[in-house]
Amino acid sequence: MILFTAPSGAGKTTIVRHLLKTFDELAFSVSATTRSRRPKEIEGRDYYFMSVDEFKSRRRRRKFAEWMEVYEDQYYGTLKSEIKRISDAGQIVIFDIDVKGARKLKQLYGDNCFSIFVKPPSFEILVQRLKDRNTEDDASLKKRIRRMKREMKYAPYFDYHLLNDKLDECLHQAEEIVGSFIKTGNIPTSL
Ligand code: ADP
Ligand code: 5GP
């Protein structure tokens, strides 16, 4: 499996979407979330959207491989059934998850899991990208910015630090390292 993690706005979704188009071997792990759907998002492709009650019921029934309350009252989690569905189809799972959930999956799966931390060029650029994306209201933007500094501190727990400054260079490097992992099963490191 391959996981991408980073603070909100660093570019995980952009990179993961590009890799899914490039490599047929990969399949996206669709997470469950209680946050509301953004206009361009599709149920079952981007997330499984559900109520807090439904999420908590699945959590009680131990349906999640990992879950996090990423923002207050906004839960996100990887369903065990999702990992099984993709593995049974003989594909490699690719995740886009927050730093804490990512650390948990890396601890669970060790060398079977290539973990990549996407680094923004600076804190100011990260904030600007999130604002330009135009998906968050003021309150949500503030929540995300408050969390970013803490999230940056998780970088040392992951195998590879991928700088996302110029997008085309970043996508090229992402292709190289993911291609190498798919081909050899060995984890590239940048540290
Ligand atoms: P994440 O999934 O980590 O929250 P996104 O992939 O949604 O981040 O990217 C956040 C915003 O920044 C999006 O609007 C995206 O188009 C833009 N973006 C991503 N990478 C770059 C880059 N290298 N240069 C400029 N804008 C970028
Ligand atoms: P967003 O609301 O921007 O889609 O995602 C917010 C954060 O939640 C991002 O850091 C994203 O990677 C993370 N996230 C998405 N799915 C999961 C998941 O299944 N588990 C965890 N722990 N985090 C997730």
Side-chain angles (χ1 to χ4, degrees):
M1 36 185 79
I2 298 171
L3 72 81
F4 279 81
T5 190
S8 191
K12 297 179 293 294
T13 310
T14 308
I15 299 165
V16 167
R17 284 204 179 140
H18 173 78
L19 292 170
L20 284 163
K21 275 193 259 159
T22 310
F23 297 104
D24 291 340
E25 295 91 334
L26 302 178
F28 183 59
S29 165
V30 180
S31 298
T33 185
T34 64
R35 83 144 159 76
S36 41
R37 194 173 62 80
R38 294 175 189 150
K40 285 185 185 157
E41 288 179 329
I42 296 174
E43 162 71 24
R45 183 197 73 176
D46 298 289
Y47 281 108
Y48 300 115
F49 296 96
M50 58 184 68
S51 65
V52 173
D53 280 352
E54 191 180 346
F55 193 100
K56 287 187 174 168
S57 153
R58 289 188 195 222
R59 195 178 66 187
R60 261 194 314 275
R61 287 179 287 132
R62 302 191 179 281
K63 299 290 181 191
F64 289 108
E66 63 77 36
W67 64 271
M68 286 291 151
E69 186 177 9
V70 178
Y71 306 105
E72 202 186 346
D73 269 340
Q74 282 182 12
Y75 295 86
Y76 295 79
T78 305
L79 290 160
K80 291 177 186 167
S81 56
E82 191 64 9
I83 299 179
K84 185 172 182 321
R85 175 181 71 78
I86 296 170
S87 315
D88 285 354
Q91 287 188 291
I92 297 172
V93 193
I94 185 163
F95 301 94
D96 167 349
I97 64 176
D98 95 297
V99 289
K100 284 190 182 168
R103 197 177 165 202
K104 170 139 194 234
L105 285 186
K106 179 66 189 169
Q107 281 168 341
L108 269 178
Y109 294 106
D111 285 347
N112 288 323
C113 176
F114 178 24
S115 59
I116 299 148
F117 183 89
V118 182
K119 272 175 105 162
S122 69
F123 185 72
E124 290 69 27
I125 291 179
L126 182 57
V127 172
Q128 195 55 50
R129 280 184 192 164
L130 198 55
K131 285 184 179 162
D132 291 346
R133 192 172 69 186
N134 251 327
T135 50
E136 312 305 314
D137 60 25
D138 272 2
S140 170
L141 201 59
K142 279 199 185 118
K143 270 199 276 187
R144 282 167 189 256
I145 291 170
R146 243 183 279 133
R147 211 183 144 91
M148 280 172 179
K149 286 202 166 133
R150 254 181 299 149
E151 290 175 319
M152 289 300 291
K153 297 200 176 124
Y154 276 74
Y157 296 113
F158 304 107
D159 299 310
Y160 199 97
H161 294 175
L162 178 65
L163 177 70
N164 182 14
D165 185 1
K166 295 208 171 76
L167 185 60
D168 54 345
E169 285 175 16
C170 170
L171 295 180
H172 179 70
Q173 199 179 348
E175 276 178 34
E176 297 254 301
I177 56 174
V178 165
S180 155
F181 179 68
I182 292 174
K183 206 164 137 198
T184 66
N186 296 327
I187 292 184
T189 58
S190 59
L191 309 176

